[in-house]
Amino acid sequence: MSGDEHLGDIPGLTLSLSLMCIFAVCLNILLVTGILFTKKQQYSSVELFIVNLSISDILLAGVAVPVRINNASHKGESFVGGDAVCKLVMFLPLLTVSSSIYTMVAIAVDRYKEILKLKKLTTENIKHRSRNMDLESRYQFTSALRIQHLPERRR
């Protein structure tokens, strides 16, 4: 796209971007309601992180991108939203993208901790099992020795 073309000049681009925004907002709202309105007493950390990502996507696809689409398709016209909306539209993408990045980092750290905890439990379980197997094999070995060395009974 060259510098003198507008978003409205490309056939179907505005419509496809608008449909993607509607699709993203609807599916993210469905995801948030599905997670938050289940009959759970307590949510896992991953579920709360997913809700945070979904809310960030809702704000981006529902507010920031449609206003930018409108501004790009009406190039050359003055912004009719006012000063506060202009600042919000410029700030919201930065907020949502940085929130998404930090949330994904938090998910990675949380999963890493869970893997380490599981690995520790598995290692302790293996040590416990090997100790039990060692005791059991010693018992079986000594039992086998006793059976072989029993004196024969005379009748």
Side-chain angles (χ1 to χ4, degrees), residues 139 141-150:
Y139 174 75
F141 181 71
T142 55
S143 297
L145 286 177
R146 276 189 247 143
I147 290 173
Q148 291 176 358
H149 294 292
L150 286 177

Side-chain angles (χ1 to χ4, degrees), residues 100-151:
S100 296
I101 290 169
Y102 288 131
T103 302
M104 287 187 276
V105 168
I107 290 172
V109 169
D110 181 61
R111 294 294 87 205
Y112 179 73
K113 284 182 172 180
E114 289 297 320
I115 289 170
L116 286 182
K117 189 188 315 180
L118 180 65
K119 186 177 180 181
K120 181 180 176 187
L121 288 175
T122 305
T123 306
E124 288 175 1
N125 194 10
I126 288 172
K127 286 180 183 176
H128 182 69
R129 282 185 181 175
S130 66
R131 198 175 314 125
N132 286 345
M133 288 175 59
D134 187 41
L135 291 174
E136 186 178 323
S137 62
R138 285 182 187 174
Y139 174 75
Q140 289 174 353
F141 181 71
T142 55
S143 297
L145 286 177
R146 276 189 247 143
I147 290 173
Q148 291 176 358
H149 294 292
L150 286 177

Side-chain angles (χ1 to χ4, degrees), residues 35-151:
I35 290 175
L36 293 182
F37 295 117
T38 56
K39 296 182 182 185
K40 287 186 177 180
Q41 294 293 332
Q42 189 174 7
Y43 301 105
S44 70
S45 59
V46 174
E47 289 172 334
L48 294 177
F49 289 141
I50 298 294
V51 167
N52 188 11
L53 283 172
S54 294
I55 290 172
S56 176
D57 286 347
I58 289 169
L59 287 174
L60 185 66
V63 178
V65 173
V67 172
R68 293 247 174 135
I69 291 171
N70 183 37
N71 291 343
S73 62
H74 296 94
K75 198 96 170 162
E77 298 175 19
S78 62
F79 183 71
V80 293
D83 201 31
V85 175
C86 179
K87 289 179 181 179
L88 179 71
V89 167
M90 297 306 285
F91 173 71
L92 205 55
L94 298 173
L95 175 72
T96 57
V97 169
S98 62
S99 170
S100 296
I101 290 169
Y102 288 131
T103 302
M104 287 187 276
V105 168
I107 290 172
V109 169
D110 181 61
R111 294 294 87 205
Y112 179 73
K113 284 182 172 180
E114 289 297 320
I115 289 170
L116 286 182
K117 189 188 315 180
L118 180 65
K119 186 177 180 181
K120 181 180 176 187
L121 288 175
T122 305
T123 306
E124 288 175 1
N125 194 10
I126 288 172
K127 286 180 183 176
H128 182 69
R129 282 185 181 175
S130 66
R131 198 175 314 125
N132 286 345
M133 288 175 59
D134 187 41
L135 291 174
E136 186 178 323
S137 62
R138 285 182 187 174
Y139 174 75
Q140 289 174 353
F141 181 71
T142 55
S143 297
L145 286 177
R146 276 189 247 143
I147 290 173
Q148 291 176 358
H149 294 292
L150 286 177

